[in-house]
Amino acid sequence: MVAEHVAVDAAIAPTAALIADPTRAAMLTALLDGRALAAGELAALAGVSAATASSHLARLLGGGMVTVVSQGRHRYYRLAGPEVAEVLEVLARVGARPETRSLRQSRQARLLEEARTCYDHLAGRAGVELLRALLAAGCLVGEEAFEVTSEGRAGLGGLGVDVDAVRGARRRFAPACLDWTERRPHLGGALGAALTCALMDRGWYRKGAVRRVVEVTEAGREGVAAIFECKDPTLHALVT
């Protein structure tokens, strides 16, 4: 039987090979919170020597998976963009969950499930519930991608989100991002990032002690609870 050549639209094998290596996968996962990390930090997180880390980072850089900025003697790496984070999140969703082998790992897993960043937007149970509340309040409409209603524009504006400016960003506006722990969508894209930034700026959320984990603050508990229970589509009572 003669094998039939199948034309492809994109060469996915080289990219998949870059992610498939355990050391490079660990480095990419460490960068999933959107922050830039030094090569030495990534080496320590991946459990390899500085020389080995440098070799792997060169491959990731050449493959367009990361970018690098030099500051003095240090080189800081970050994911090349949200599309790389999306690929990693999808792989996490379809892959097997790692077995927790200690109380510390169990606690970290629980915190990640509760609230974390998915590159630059809120994910985990907190992100899923935030999207649910915004849809229930009539601020957003849609399923696989969302649009802001007139009521939502006023409410999000009160929270500090300039919807028009966000729409001009060079990335998808407001896609549904299927959460890998909750198996339900949270709000992604430029709008998800802007809303998360606004909640951070208001002091409602802060970076947690565990990488990627975010925590609701005392100041934010009332405001976040009000969003989740909101019956007023304008969200006006929350932001005045």
Side-chain angles (χ1 to χ4, degrees):
M1 182 177 181
V2 179
E4 182 180 355
H5 175 73
V6 179
V8 295
D9 295 326
I12 64 173
T15 300
L18 284 173
I19 301 173
D21 180 87
T23 297
R24 292 193 291 273
M27 291 177 168
L28 292 170
T29 300
L31 295 171
L32 259 176
D33 64 356
R35 289 182 287 187
L37 295 177
E41 293 177 282
L42 290 167
L45 289 167
V48 297
S49 68
T52 299
S54 179
S55 174
H56 283 294
L57 287 168
R59 290 197 61 182
L60 291 172
L61 189 63
M65 302 293 286
V66 300
T67 59
V68 63
V69 174
S70 296
Q71 291 186 358
R73 295 185 303 170
H74 298 285
R75 289 161 64 85
Y76 292 89
Y77 295 84
R78 70 187 332 144
L79 294 185
E83 64 279 358
V84 178
E86 289 175 11
V87 170
L88 298 174
E89 286 284 326
V90 169
L91 290 174
R93 192 165 68 243
V94 300
R97 297 286 295 276
E99 181 182 352
T100 55
R101 300 180 181 277
S102 68
L103 288 175
R104 180 183 178 186
Q105 289 180 341
S106 178
R107 176 178 176 274
Q108 290 179 346
R110 187 170 64 253
L111 291 173
L112 285 169
E113 290 174 0
E114 183 60 35
R116 67 180 184 277
T117 49
C118 173
Y119 188 59
D120 57 3
H121 54 271
L122 188 63
R125 191 170 299 113
V128 167
E129 288 302 313
L130 178 61
L131 174 58
R132 180 199 60 77
L134 292 172
L135 288 167
C139 295
L140 300 176
V141 292
E143 294 182 1
E144 295 185 3
F146 304 105
E147 189 52 66
V148 180
T149 65
S150 57
E151 294 87 353
R153 179 182 293 271
L156 291 171
L159 286 171
V161 178
D162 184 336
V163 174
D164 290 331
V166 172
R167 196 181 296 279
R170 303 178 75 174
R171 62 189 287 191
R172 289 190 295 170
F173 175 59
C177 184
L178 188 59
D179 197 276
W180 69 269
T181 54
E182 292 296 299
R183 300 295 197 264
R184 292 182 291 160
H186 58 248
L187 181 62
L191 185 61
L195 179 54
T196 301
C197 184
L199 295 177
M200 292 283 193
D201 288 345
R202 293 176 72 86
W204 286 11
Y205 282 100
R206 66 186 174 204
K207 295 287 186 180
V210 176
R211 190 174 302 279
R212 293 187 66 196
V213 167
V214 295
E215 303 170 345
V216 63
T217 65
E218 288 299 324
R221 290 185 188 281
E222 184 176 346
V224 171
I227 289 180
F228 288 173
E229 299 170 4
C230 183
K231 303 301 182 183
D232 176 6
T234 67
L235 300 182
H236 221 42
L238 309 183
V239 297
T240 56

